[in-house]
Amino acid sequence: MNSTAAATAKLIADAGIERVFGLPGGEVLVLMDALRAAGVDFVLMRHEANAGIAAAVHGKLRGQPGVVVTTLGPGAANLMLPLSNAFLDQEPLLAISAQLPDDFPASHTHQRLPLHDVYRPVTKYAAKITADTVGEAVPRALTVCMNRPFGASYLTLSAREALKPVDAVPKRAAADPNGGATPARQGDAGEKARELRDLLGKASRPLVLIGLGIDPANATRIRRWVKDWDLPVAVTPKVKGIVDETRGNFVGVVGGMAADDLMCEALKAADLLIGFGLDPVEIDSTWHAELPIHWILEAENVGGIVPPATQLVDHAQLLDALIRAQPPSTWPAPFREVQQKRCERLSDRSGAPGVMWPGDIVQALDAVLPPETIVTTDVGSHKYLFGQFWPSREPQTFWMSNGLSGMAYGLSAAIGAKLARPDVPVLAAVGDGGFSMNAQELETAERVGAPFITVVLEDGSYSLIKLAQAGKKLGTYRVDFGPIDTVKMAEACGVDGLRTVNPDQLASAAKRAVERRRSLVIGVPVNDADYRRIF
Ligand SMILES: Cc1ncc(C[n+]2csc(CCOP(=O)(O)OP(=O)(O)O)c2C)c(N)n1
């Protein structure tokens, strides 16, 4: 007879999940062992939050839920960041933690936390795994986080329950109709295509805004539509690469990255804004509610939000209909001026000695890394830089926390990405603040065979917050920190490191690391004041 832990592990393995991420405690050892026996690897990390972030990115790239496994109490408490990130950044994550057995006396308060109550608001499904519920709870948890908008599920399994026998080996259930499935798409794709064509026929400055609600499976279709019709297009950061950003009709990245003033100029100048899968969760100001946007959504946005009078419509059918139709007009580069000014921002070089101009970092790396390179960023000024200016060319090659905007994402995301796509180079661009939150995962990356390049933009400060202080006319206060030697940190984790302010040296070191399939950490001193010129 199978144990509940074995049944849980089997359901996870049967879902095609080959690895989970986590950090153990005594109460989760039986589940870990069951996972091992079921052929599911355990990627041991150095913080549960990092494990959850890596798992979610790994899952999304593999088209399945990422799974993170932790102990109870403190291990489970460390899941708040990745669960919140999965919720707001539409990443599919199943978190399983231990919990005290139900039959423990109420006086046993050691490590007792109201975990379900805490996590229910940020998850789509939270439940206990028991011998009786395992066959329902695990498949449902796996299913709901893959219903769009992707999000998180949370399950607990007590060490006592893990050992209990289950009567029958549960089968992987088909999608559960009560599992928070995407609401029906009432909109007629053919009708929507005609409506859109009419609107575009009357527009002289249309702008297609593509957001998180587009399925990467529709990348070829949307690329074809905007190319064939030569439509001006902008994207939000989390779908960078859904269209080729080096093409002439690419206007820029909206949602609060660098050069946002230019993007807002374009938004205001447009006479038709088409929000194709646009999810305001990525937008840090309120233009999405103030400007008239023609929404084209196929699933509700984060938080269950669907703009008024918007009918959900199947994107694939709609795009097929649009591709079949002739463009109703031509729009010869109506945002040319904005595009030019955007490019100029990167070349407005600083002459400050001993640092690298941030724009040179982007350009040097772009010159040597292949277009399929997956780039992850942390959160801070460097995210604004890379979010706007890294020229993404392929879908799902750019990863950042942008709904939550939580620091300590970049390095963990790089581990998840590299394990999911071992043949593709991975670059993590992080600030020195964020790097010091989880640099220890460099050792994880080495140990589990996930080499990638980390570029640490060293400015000795939480520079985005420093800029915000200046913006509020406040004096600089408690945003600068002393140096931690990036190179030594890397070396302490068994990874090669170097520091440079020479763009050519940066480029050649990155190229060599990719060729050799080796991890490399490159510290690049920058001047935080330079960001102001780019933003
Ligand atoms: C977990 C978390 N804590 C705090 C913040 C607020 N915050 C946003 S950006 C930032 C500064 C990040 O500094 P660094 O990593 O050095 O990057 P930089 O801005 O210098 O590029 C901070 C503190 C956050 N987004 N996430």
Side-chain angles (χ1 to χ4, degrees):
M1 199 170 276
N2 261 304
S3 68
T4 304
T8 303
K10 181 179 184 317
L11 286 161
I12 289 170
D14 288 353
I17 292 165
E18 291 167 6
R19 57 173 68 91
V20 301
F21 297 73
L23 195 159
E27 288 75 5
V28 85
L29 294 177
V30 172
L31 176 60
M32 277 174 70
D33 197 57
L35 286 163
R36 183 192 53 74
V40 179
D41 190 20
F42 189 94
V43 179
L44 177 67
M45 295 193 62
R46 288 170 173 273
H47 194 292
E48 293 84 353
N50 301 336
I53 297 289
V57 172
H58 182 269
K60 197 164 182 178
L61 275 167
R62 301 272 294 228
Q64 58 187 198
V67 181
V68 57
V69 174
T70 75
T71 190
L72 75 181
N78 274 344
L79 287 171
M80 182 49 105
L81 187 93
L83 286 173
S84 308
N85 194 78
F87 169 48
L88 290 180
D89 279 75
Q90 294 201 22
E91 290 180 2
L93 179 67
L94 165 59
I96 306 178
S97 78
Q99 177 57 307
L100 292 177
D102 281 347
D103 52 4
F104 264 32
S107 56
H108 184 97
T109 46
H110 177 67
Q111 295 194 319
R112 186 186 290 279
L113 290 171
L115 294 167
H116 288 103
D117 293 343
V118 169
Y119 290 142
R120 197 164 287 117
V122 292
T123 55
K124 300 170 101 181
Y125 179 61
K128 283 178 196 164
I129 305 174
T130 66
D132 292 336
T133 64
V134 60
E136 202 252 321
V138 178
R140 184 163 172 188
L142 288 165
T143 300
V144 296
C145 50
M146 292 305 293
N147 287 338
R148 296 180 48 222
F150 294 159
S153 302
Y154 175 61
L155 297 174
T156 52
L157 174 63
S158 78
R160 221 173 249 191
E161 202 69 30
L163 292 168
K164 281 201 184 146
V166 288
D167 291 339
V169 180
K171 296 216 168 16
R172 170 144 174 75
D176 175 356
N178 301 317
T182 304
R185 295 170 187 154
Q186 319 93 324
D188 178 288
E191 209 174 284
K192 192 58 157 173
R194 283 188 291 280
E195 186 190 340
L196 209 48
R197 206 172 164 275
D198 285 352
L199 285 169
L200 280 162
K202 291 179 205 132
S204 52
R205 291 165 75 86
L207 184 55
V208 182
L209 307 170
I210 309 176
L212 194 45
I214 187 141
D215 186 339
N218 283 323
T220 308
R221 290 186 172 93
I222 196 137
R223 281 169 172 240
R224 172 108 188 259
W225 176 50
V226 298
K227 176 173 170 282
D228 287 2
W229 288 29
D230 199 18
L231 277 163
V233 61
V235 299
T236 60
K238 281 190 77 82
V239 291
K240 276 174 68 66
I242 193 88
V243 294
D244 182 345
E245 296 177 12
T246 60
R247 292 191 66 89
N249 61 344
F250 183 69
V251 176
V253 179
V254 293
M257 297 295 106
D260 202 45
D261 56 326
L262 297 177
M263 292 304 110
C264 288
E265 212 177 278
L267 289 166
K268 285 194 190 115
D271 59 0
L272 176 63
L273 292 171
I274 299 170
F276 216 108
L278 186 68
D279 189 339
V281 75
E282 279 204 80
I283 302 165
D284 67 348
S285 56
T286 50
W287 57 256
H288 58 84
E290 287 146 13
L291 297 172
I293 296 177
H294 193 85
W295 297 89
I296 309 223
L297 305 180
E298 65 175 359
E300 53 192 29
N301 280 331
V302 166
I305 293 172
V306 177
T310 304
Q311 286 197 328
L312 303 182
V313 63
D314 186 285
H315 280 172
Q317 287 176 15
L318 171 63
L319 287 165
D320 285 343
L322 290 166
I323 290 163
R324 278 195 302 271
Q326 286 301 309
S329 183
T330 57
W331 310 274
F335 302 101
R336 188 181 292 117
E337 229 176 275
V338 166
Q339 289 170 294
Q340 262 163 12
K341 284 198 237 166
R342 176 178 174 271
C343 292
E344 284 160 13
R345 288 277 168 101
L346 265 201
S347 37
D348 181 18
R349 225 171 229 89
S350 122
V355 294
M356 199 182 296
W357 170 247
D360 282 350
I361 302 175
V362 172
Q363 286 170 340
L365 292 168
D366 175 45
V368 290
L369 296 176
E372 67 274 18
T373 301
I374 292 178
V375 176
T376 71
T377 74
D378 214 79
V379 173
S381 299
H382 64 281
K383 158 175 144 170
Y384 286 20
L385 171 76
F386 275 77
Q388 182 61 263
F389 293 112
W390 180 260
S392 299
R393 271 155 283 187
E394 295 187 12
Q396 295 201 293
T397 55
F398 197 89
W399 294 77
M400 68 162 63
S401 172
N402 203 37
L404 179 67
S405 292
M407 289 169 71
Y409 179 91
L411 222 116
S412 309
I415 293 176
K418 187 66 191 180
L419 287 173
R421 297 270 164 87
D423 295 332
V424 170
V426 174
L427 165 72
V430 303
D432 44 3
F435 183 64
S436 65
M437 279 186 172
N438 63 355
Q440 71 278 16
E441 300 294 357
L442 288 169
E443 185 281 329
T444 306
E446 279 303 276
R447 175 168 31 85
V448 303
F452 58 88
I453 300 168
T454 307
V455 172
V456 184
L457 287 85
E458 301 173 341
D459 52 21
S461 73
Y462 296 118
S463 78
L464 190 63
I465 308 307
K466 195 171 182 174
L467 293 179
Q469 266 175 346
K472 290 177 197 291
K473 310 238 177 305
L474 298 167
T476 298
Y477 179 67
R478 301 283 195 261
V479 284
D480 291 326
F481 42 73
I484 298 179
D485 191 320
T486 302
V487 176
K488 284 191 185 149
M489 285 271 274
E491 288 169 354
C493 294
V495 173
D496 291 341
L498 77 96
R499 175 171 292 102
T500 182
V501 288
N502 178 332
D504 294 335
Q505 195 184 3
L506 170 65
S508 60
K511 186 163 182 273
R512 216 169 33 248
V514 167
E515 284 163 2
R516 293 182 183 167
R517 295 174 172 253
R518 293 278 302 267
S519 278
L520 177 66
V521 176
I522 311 170
V524 182
V526 293
N527 181 350
D528 55 47
D530 282 346
Y531 286 126
R532 211 170 299 151
R533 314 240 301 272
I534 296 180
F535 298 172

